[in-house]
């Protein structure tokens, strides 16, 4: 009869260790990378119209403004009640929304296909009435303000030469005409020193003494030095879309592609790139599951959130590119935002691949403590 072999304690320990390692490799990294348990829903705002396009907090973080296809609405976050409703003309659509610094007015560049439909509109929140614009250019397709509200960059209609301009908000004085024949998207850094422009054509070579830009290349334009940085090396198609923007401290600029285009098969549709504005070099690059559908920086600029077309949100540490957490796909939709105090991350619920009629509040404090 053959003698039964027995394993030594050392061999048994090794095999147990290998089994534990196999289980960890199968389950552990996936769960750790996903991080779905690190951000929890804590509240919600109900009874919104379907398809919210814009979410904006006032500086106090106590009110929330939303834009849908019919109205601009202002909500009290604590009571969850609607304070103001501003009816929009059926032909106009506000793609950006700003509370004034004192919180008493709302400003919105309303996009349209003609001069009369595109304008920088202002409303008094006490009455809900529109107030006269103090800008000499009424046909404003897009507008973006510095953090101190002293400077505004605008893109005007009609689309013609030199249609991107910089104004002093107080005096309405034109500060600069930006060097482009036409631009499809414009952003002004919080410090008012740098402008991002996409869909830029025929930037003259004399602007920095070396070369010009012609085509769909996005650029960062240094207003004081009158020099630009061509961001075409990002390989991310960014013209004519709103999935880009400065961090609150102005140190970073994020780029992400927001729609299919068969003419540019070589461009990366599933990657977000964050540029360091100071040295004009890429800082962080990370993948998303699908094309980007919305983004937001945390108030301290340390965390970046990207929502893709599947409804999944990825939270990334800007300095390292490390994924901190995710909200699984199918839960939320764009637009997304952080509250000014960093306590909440908010996004509409998802209904049939579109924004639903509820805004979900998630606890963001765990992300900012990472």
């Amino acid at each position: 009869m053959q003698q039964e072999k027995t394993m030594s304690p050392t061999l048994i320990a090794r095999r147990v260790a290998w089994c534990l390692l196999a289980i960890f490799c199968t389950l552990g990294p996936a769960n750790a990378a996903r991080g779905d348990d690190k951000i929890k829903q804590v509240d919600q705002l109900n009874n919104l119209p379907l398809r919210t396009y814009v979410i904006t907090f006032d500086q106090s973080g106590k009110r929330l403004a939303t834009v849908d296809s019919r109205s601009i609405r202002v909500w009290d976050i604590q009571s969850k009640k609607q304070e103001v409703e501003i009816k929009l003309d059926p032909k106009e659509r506000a793609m950006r929304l700003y509370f004034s610094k004192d919180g008493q007015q709302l400003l919105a560049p309303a996009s349209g296909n003609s001069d009369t439909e595109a304008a920088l509109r202002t409303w008094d929140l006490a009455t809900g009435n529109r107030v006269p614009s103090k800008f000499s250019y009424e046909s404003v397709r897009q507008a973006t303000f510095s953090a101190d509200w002293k400077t505004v960059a605008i893109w005007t209609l009609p689309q013609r030469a030199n249609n991107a301009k910089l104004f002093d908000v107080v005096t309405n004085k034109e500060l600069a005409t930006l060097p482009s024949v036409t631009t499809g998207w414009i952003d002004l850094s919080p410090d008012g020193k740098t402008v991002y422009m996409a869909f830029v054509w025929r930037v003259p070579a004399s602007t920095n003494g070396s070369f010009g830009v012609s085509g769909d290349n996005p650029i960062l334009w240094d207003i004081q030095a009158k020099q630009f940085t061509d961001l075409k090396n990002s390989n991310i198609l960014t013209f004519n879309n709103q999935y880009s923007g400065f961090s609150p401290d102005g140190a970073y600029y994020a780029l992400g592609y927001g729609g299919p285009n068969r003419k540019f098969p070589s461009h990366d549709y599933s990657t977000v790139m964050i540029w360091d504005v100071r040295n004009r070099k890429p800082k962080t690059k990370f993948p998303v599951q699908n094309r980007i559908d919305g983004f937001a920086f945390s108030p301290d600029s340390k965390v970046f959130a990207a929502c893709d077309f599947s409804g999944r949100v990825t939270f990334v540490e800007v300095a390292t590119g490390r994924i901190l957490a995710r909200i699984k796909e199918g839960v939320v939709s764009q637009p997304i935002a952080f509250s000014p105090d960093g306590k909440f991350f908010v996004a509409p619920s998802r209904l049939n691949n579109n924004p639903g009629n509820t805004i979900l509040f998630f606890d963001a404090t765990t992300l900012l403590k990472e």
Side-chain angles (χ1 to χ4, degrees):
M1 185 173 181
Q2 190 174 6
Q3 187 177 1
E4 184 177 355
K5 293 183 179 180
T6 59
M7 292 187 292
S8 66
T10 302
L11 184 58
I12 292 174
R14 286 179 179 176
R15 292 195 175 183
V16 170
W18 278 108
C19 290
L20 291 175
L21 180 61
I23 293 172
F24 175 78
C25 291
T26 303
L27 301 176
N31 290 332
R34 218 178 54 225
D36 295 339
D37 59 339
K38 291 186 178 181
I39 183 165
K40 300 289 187 182
Q41 182 186 338
V42 293
D43 207 345
Q44 63 187 48
L45 179 64
N46 299 316
N47 302 320
L48 278 79
L50 294 176
R51 300 204 177 200
T52 297
Y53 297 111
V54 182
I55 295 177
T56 302
F57 284 91
D58 70 357
Q59 292 191 358
S60 71
K62 296 179 180 179
R63 291 183 298 172
L64 187 70
T66 62
V67 179
D68 54 70
S69 60
R70 296 172 297 180
S71 303
I72 297 174
R73 304 168 194 268
V74 180
W75 308 81
D76 180 273
I77 294 176
Q78 185 173 3
S79 67
K80 305 295 186 298
K81 293 182 179 179
Q82 179 178 298
E83 292 185 339
V84 181
E85 179 180 1
I86 300 168
K87 296 288 187 180
L88 292 173
D89 187 283
K91 294 182 179 180
E92 64 185 13
R93 181 178 172 185
M95 296 303 297
R96 285 176 170 174
L97 192 63
Y98 302 92
F99 279 94
S100 61
K101 199 170 183 178
D102 59 10
Q104 296 180 9
Q105 294 182 334
L106 272 177
L107 296 91
S111 63
N113 296 320
S114 69
D115 288 4
T116 56
E117 295 168 11
L120 185 57
R121 291 169 166 83
T122 306
W123 293 271
D124 185 332
L125 289 180
T127 64
N129 296 328
R130 186 177 170 187
V131 298
S133 174
K134 57 185 175 182
F135 296 97
S136 57
Y137 278 84
E138 269 294 305
S139 56
V140 177
R141 182 72 180 266
Q142 291 181 20
T144 171
F145 295 84
S146 59
D148 60 8
W149 281 90
K150 292 182 179 180
T151 310
V152 59
I154 65 171
W155 166 39
T156 66
L157 284 178
Q159 297 188 31
R160 59 189 176 192
N162 304 319
N163 70 330
K165 298 178 181 293
L166 208 66
F167 282 89
D168 183 294
V169 173
V170 177
T171 65
N172 195 29
K173 180 182 178 182
E174 184 175 329
L175 302 176
T177 297
L178 303 174
S180 65
V181 170
T182 184
T183 182
W185 190 254
I186 190 169
D187 271 315
L188 180 64
S189 63
D191 60 10
K193 295 180 179 180
T194 306
V195 173
Y196 166 87
M197 291 182 287
F199 200 17
V200 175
W201 290 83
R202 303 179 201 164
V203 175
S206 59
T207 54
N208 71 349
S210 57
F211 61 91
V213 172
S214 179
D216 302 319
N217 303 325
I219 68 170
L220 287 175
W221 173 257
D222 187 311
I223 296 170
Q224 293 180 341
K226 297 184 178 180
Q227 294 181 346
F228 68 84
T229 301
D230 189 351
L231 305 187
K232 65 180 180 181
N233 293 330
S234 63
N235 201 39
I236 298 176
L237 192 62
T238 56
F239 71 89
N240 204 22
N241 73 77
Q242 64 268 37
Y243 307 115
S244 58
F246 286 96
S247 60
D249 63 3
Y252 305 108
Y253 196 84
L255 296 174
Y257 182 62
N261 195 313
R262 296 178 182 178
K263 295 181 180 180
F264 299 91
S266 63
H267 286 76
D268 193 344
Y269 301 152
S270 58
T271 298
V272 175
M273 179 171 285
I274 299 175
W275 283 74
D276 188 313
V277 174
R278 295 184 182 94
N279 61 26
R280 301 296 200 266
K281 292 182 179 180
K283 176 69 175 179
T284 300
K285 184 178 180 180
F286 65 94
V288 291
Q289 181 169 306
N290 208 322
R291 296 184 303 275
I292 191 170
D293 196 28
F295 81 92
F297 279 98
S298 63
D300 60 5
S301 303
K302 294 181 178 180
V303 177
F304 180 82
C307 180
D308 61 40
F309 271 70
S310 70
R312 186 175 73 163
V313 181
T314 303
F315 298 90
V316 175
E317 186 177 48
V318 174
T320 64
R322 178 170 64 101
I323 295 177
L324 302 175
R326 287 196 178 104
I327 297 174
K328 64 182 180 180
E329 62 183 70
V331 175
V332 302
S333 181
Q334 67 88 24
I336 60 179
F338 284 93
S339 61
D341 57 9
K343 291 183 179 180
F344 300 112
F345 171 82
V346 301
S349 59
R350 193 173 181 86
L351 179 65
N352 299 326
N353 296 326
N354 289 304
N357 63 349
T358 301
I359 292 182
L360 307 180
F361 285 67
F362 295 84
D363 182 1
T365 57
T366 55
L367 298 174
L368 305 182
K369 291 178 181 178
E370 284 283 336

